[in-house]
Amino acid sequence: MKKVSLSDSGPKVSEAIYGFWRWTDEGAQTTSQIEKTVNLCLELGINTFDHADVYGDTAIEEHFGKVVQNKSFKREDIVLFSKCGIRTSSNKYLTYYDTSRDHIVNSINGSLKRLKTDYLDIFLLHQSDFLSDPEETATALAEIVKSGKTKHIGVANFTVFQHQLLASYLRIPIVTNHIELNLMNTTAIEDGRIDFIKQSFSKPLAWAPLAGGKILNGTEEKAVRLRAKLEEVGKKYDANIEQTAVAWLMKLGTLPIIGSLSETRIRNGASASDIKLSHEDWYEIYQVVGK
């Protein structure tokens, strides 16, 4: 799998990214499972890993940090992301957003400690905070880049206007927007987010590339029609439904974030980079689900 520039200012990342949002904390077993998954990804050419402080309530970063400490790979051989901004109240009843300076600084310090690394390649804001002071947020992001705690910054789940607002207060680039995009949810194409990210000389990161399994197993009429079309088109490329769905995202210039714990599905996602859909086939698939 080749490496591509995430934006005109970097970094170089694999065409598919592995994300840990589905993982839960099962103790020492989780550390060994993560090590096995990371080694599989590296074998397949996936060298880019996506974390957030809320994954496993910080525990997944801790497990990954233990794998880093084991030194089965070199830190400089991987590209490491983490995110902050989603918080949960002490009673676990309320989820809310916080991109204040204090929370950003405390969060990246916590992620670095848990991940056993001196720096992140990208630190992203996980959600837009409606109550944030954009100047304060931008200043905090510039501060963590200047201090070397992260090389780049990004956002996740931002609308075009939220992205533009934050960028207007920054002198450093936002290198990506980490958005939900799949063949069951193509709104990022229709609402202009894909266009804006590309206008910013960046590549979008697409989470939930298989719509949480709906593309493979969904029973609603749209999912059934889509599977039939993916199977039909995939035969031209000797590809299965999963590979074809991920290849469709790659043809659009997005980088899918694979989140499965299944070795077979990780291999399917990685091998999709070898499938080069034609324009005609891409649009034939899109017409099944697009507006």
Side-chain angles (χ1 to χ4, degrees), residues 28-287:
Q29 180 182 355
T30 302
T31 302
S32 61
Q33 287 178 328
I34 286 178
E35 186 161 27
K36 181 180 177 181
T37 298
V38 169
N39 288 330
L40 171 64
C41 287
L42 293 173
E43 171 195 326
L44 297 173
I46 299 172
N47 75 334
T48 308
F49 300 96
D50 177 58
H51 287 273
D53 53 5
V54 292
Y55 296 166
D57 194 18
T58 74
I60 302 307
E61 287 187 332
E62 290 180 2
H63 288 295
F64 193 93
K66 292 175 183 177
V67 174
V68 171
Q69 274 189 317
N70 289 343
K71 297 184 177 179
S72 57
F73 55 85
K74 295 179 181 178
R75 169 64 182 91
E76 58 268 27
D77 290 340
I78 66 170
V79 181
L80 199 53
F81 302 173
S82 194
K83 302 183 289 296
C84 84
I86 298 178
R87 303 189 71 175
T88 305
S89 59
S90 56
N91 61 9
K92 307 296 183 182
Y93 178 74
L94 176 69
T95 297
Y96 64 101
Y97 309 134
D98 183 355
T99 61
S100 64
R101 180 197 174 280
D102 287 349
H103 185 62
I104 289 171
V105 172
N106 290 336
S107 292
I108 194 167
N109 288 340
S111 289
L112 292 173
K113 182 178 180 180
R114 289 187 292 271
L115 291 166
K116 305 293 191 238
T117 184
D118 295 328
Y119 69 94
L120 295 173
D121 294 279
I122 304 183
F123 190 64
L124 304 97
L125 300 183
H126 210 157
Q127 292 280 351
S128 178
D129 171 11
F130 302 139
L131 303 179
S132 72
D133 176 340
E135 184 174 9
E136 176 187 322
T137 298
T139 299
L141 293 172
E143 178 183 323
I144 62 175
V145 172
K146 185 176 180 180
S147 67
K149 293 178 180 179
T150 187
K151 293 185 176 181
H152 304 277
I153 58 167
V155 295
N157 307 305
F158 274 42
T159 67
V160 171
F161 290 122
Q162 290 165 347
H163 194 155
Q164 285 177 319
L165 174 62
L166 181 60
S168 71
Y169 283 86
L170 285 162
R171 293 185 179 181
I172 54 177
I174 296 171
V175 299
T176 190
N177 190 358
H178 178 305
I179 56 176
E180 181 178 5
L181 176 64
N182 54 64
L183 277 161
M184 293 292 288
N185 181 357
T186 61
T187 54
I189 297 175
E190 289 104 31
D191 67 17
R193 278 176 289 164
I194 294 293
D195 294 332
F196 180 72
I197 297 165
K198 290 181 177 181
Q199 183 187 24
S200 304
F201 305 104
S202 301
K203 291 182 177 64
L205 305 179
W207 62 270
L210 296 172
K214 289 181 182 178
I215 290 174
L216 298 178
N217 305 308
T219 56
E220 62 185 277
E221 189 266 342
K222 180 178 177 180
V224 173
R225 281 190 293 111
L226 175 59
R227 269 198 304 278
K229 179 57 66 177
L230 289 169
E231 184 174 17
E232 176 191 332
V233 172
K235 288 178 180 178
K236 299 181 184 180
Y237 301 89
D238 193 25
N240 60 34
I241 290 170
E242 185 170 1
Q243 291 168 317
T244 307
V246 176
W248 185 89
L249 289 169
M250 290 178 167
K251 179 72 173 179
L252 184 60
T254 67
L255 306 180
I257 300 179
I258 300 166
S260 178
L261 280 66
S262 160
E263 178 177 339
T264 299
R265 292 186 61 185
I266 294 170
R267 289 184 180 276
N268 281 336
S271 60
S273 65
D274 297 325
I275 300 165
K276 309 301 180 186
L277 295 178
S278 70
H279 266 60
E280 180 179 349
D281 288 335
W282 189 93
Y283 276 102
E284 186 173 349
I285 293 168
Y286 180 59
Q287 284 178 357

